[in-house]
Amino acid sequence: MLLSTLLALAPLALAKFEGGVPQSFINTAIARTIELGGSTHVVTTQYNVKALVDNPETYVLALGKEGDEPPAWYEVLVAGQPVQDVVTDNVEGAPAALVPIGKMKKDGTVTISLNEIVAKSSRPVPAEIEQRAPQYIMWETNSTLVDSVYTSDVERIKIRAPTPEIIGQGKVPKTYTRDSDLTKSGATITLGPFYSVPPTLGKDAKGEQSPFWVHYETKVPIAGIRSLRRSAEVSHWGANLNIQDEIELFNNGPRLKGQFSRLNHQQSRFWASKPAQVLSELVMRLPPLARSVYYYDVIGNVSTSHFREGVARKGRTTESQLEFRPRYPLLGGWNYTFTVGWDSPLSESLKAEQDGKYVLSVPFLTPLKDVVVDDEELRIILPEGATDVQVYTPFPVDEIDHAVHKTYLDTTGRPVVTLKKHLVTENHAQPVYVTYNYSRAALFKKPLTVAAFCGSILLLFILLRRVDYSIEKKKRE
Ligand SMILES: *[C@@H]1O[C@H](CO)[C@@H](O)[C@H](O)[C@H]1NC(C)=O
Ligand SMILES: *[C@@H]1O[C@H](CO)[C@@H](O)[C@H](O)[C@H]1NC(C)=O
Ligand SMILES: *[C@@H]1O[C@H](CO)[C@@H](O)[C@H](O)[C@H]1NC(C)=O
Ligand SMILES: *[C@@H]1O[C@H](CO)[C@@H](O)[C@H](O)[C@H]1NC(C)=O
């Protein structure tokens, strides 16, 4: 059952649009909401779509303007159901998702939802502030309107900042029929509604697209991870899965102007709100049965952390929590490198199928809210003797490498799968599946090797004793 769902994740052949995208749809309404954050921004867009022809097959969902990068993460739902076999492509020079739409008659309608996480589109402005000064973010996009290869009857965009402290924003193009350009209410900016917006992309593009920006305050520190190296090591013999993360954390907020005042920082504990740019704590949500948790840095063990086992939510034990504090508070631009790790029962992540075949599930990462990982490397270390290793990822990764890793007391070595991905968000915290064959003979190989090793040591010891003994004898003679 599990294997068949895994196979469904394989991408389909690409549909190509050589002579331009046919105008087989019209967007009857588009509503977009942009939730601005610190380093990631969550964009949700609903498209009410009408078919202009019979059986249009594929809806081309633009993910940006010509030359734009695709979002760090996205998913597409058709009529409320997630679509697995969406293909990311480049259509008319812009990133786009090719969405299979199923059987549809002319004038038939359907709702398509796009959920995106956008990263690397904001920065602190000013780039340098004093220790107690407020922290402002500049978010920028190349597209004020929602990009589409189809005509849109009506569209509206809402942008929500984390605080009502919005100190500036861009202008909207004057070319469209509209009820209003821009209205601001508290922390929300509304653009439009705009009417009869022509396609902004492709051969029929007549829509004027322009950049937009919002400059706003955020009161929480902006954490980033420059590199995450996770290793997941399976032990059938110990019935254990060990996960270890080497993390290069940094504060992506504005740099500190002048000297860091520890006194000022200590006093801030008594203020109603903590200074925004000081990153002093993070909470990691670990599996509910995590145990033997460790946390150390270059200096050694870090004791300023709390581990709370089996935290219950709504009456169910869903997770354990590691609240950890870096050894020193991190100010804008500062780095902190550390290692955390834990064990969990293998039965939680390994399922045995028939004939010695196993399916292992390894979480790609432990999510941290509003944190982007620039580069991740995940190493999955399988037991010695595992064969027919196959990997299934829930999203495309940049690199998958198979190798064999040999350590002390290994005979044939352990298969190791290494996955690499650039730009990882909290929504990538999904399981990676690895299937492999592992026989009983392989399971007993390890203890036999160890036994053989111990046996040979013993033998050596006995031999040495004998030699010794004979020398002693000689001396005495
Ligand atoms: C906006 O356009 C510029 C120039 O084409 C490009 O370098 C940049 O990556 C674009 N921004 C995004 C968020 O894609
Ligand atoms: C670090 O902590 C772990 C568990 O708390 C302990 O077993 C280990 O000996 C400590 N290491 C050092 C260097 O203090
Ligand atoms: C943090 O690390 C980055 C990249 O390694 C480096 O360029 C930067 O200077 C470091 N910052 C500090 C304050 O050491
Ligand atoms: C691995 O398992 C599959 C299915 O159980 C089986 O068909 C295959 O022959 C096995 N391969 C080896 C090398 O044991």
Side-chain angles (χ1 to χ4, degrees), residues 24 287 422 452:
S24 37
H422 175 63

Side-chain angles (χ1 to χ4, degrees), residues 64-70 95 118-121 140-142:
K65 182 177 183 290
E66 296 102 326
D68 275 4
E69 291 291 324
V118 176
K120 305 283 165 195
S121 60
E140 289 166 295
T141 171
N142 289 331

Side-chain angles (χ1 to χ4, degrees), residues 2 234-235 239-241 243 286-291 316-319 342-352 359-363 431-433:
L2 183 55
V234 175
S235 164
N240 189 46
L241 176 70
I243 301 243
L286 306 186
L289 295 177
R291 49 184 154 74
R316 276 185 57 224
T317 307
T318 52
E319 63 188 41
W342 60 91
D343 289 333
S344 54
L346 190 57
S347 56
E348 292 294 297
S349 36
L350 190 73
K351 298 274 172 289
V359 181
L360 172 73
S361 133
V362 174
V432 169
Y433 292 101

Side-chain angles (χ1 to χ4, degrees), residues 240-294:
N240 189 46
L241 176 70
N242 170 262
I243 301 243
Q244 175 168 310
D245 285 345
E246 281 167 46
I247 297 176
E248 250 186 86
L249 181 74
F250 71 110
N251 184 333
N252 205 10
R255 287 189 309 275
L256 174 67
K257 188 190 263 179
Q259 284 288 318
F260 171 61
S261 155
R262 190 163 276 277
L263 178 67
N264 218 326
H265 176 66
Q266 308 249 306
Q267 282 173 344
S268 72
R269 270 190 280 163
F270 306 109
W271 301 338
S273 63
K274 280 196 217 158
Q277 79 279 29
V278 183
L279 176 59
S280 49
E281 190 182 82
L282 281 172
V283 178
M284 256 178 138
R285 306 201 305 268
L286 306 186
L289 295 177
R291 49 184 154 74
S292 322
V293 178
Y294 52 93

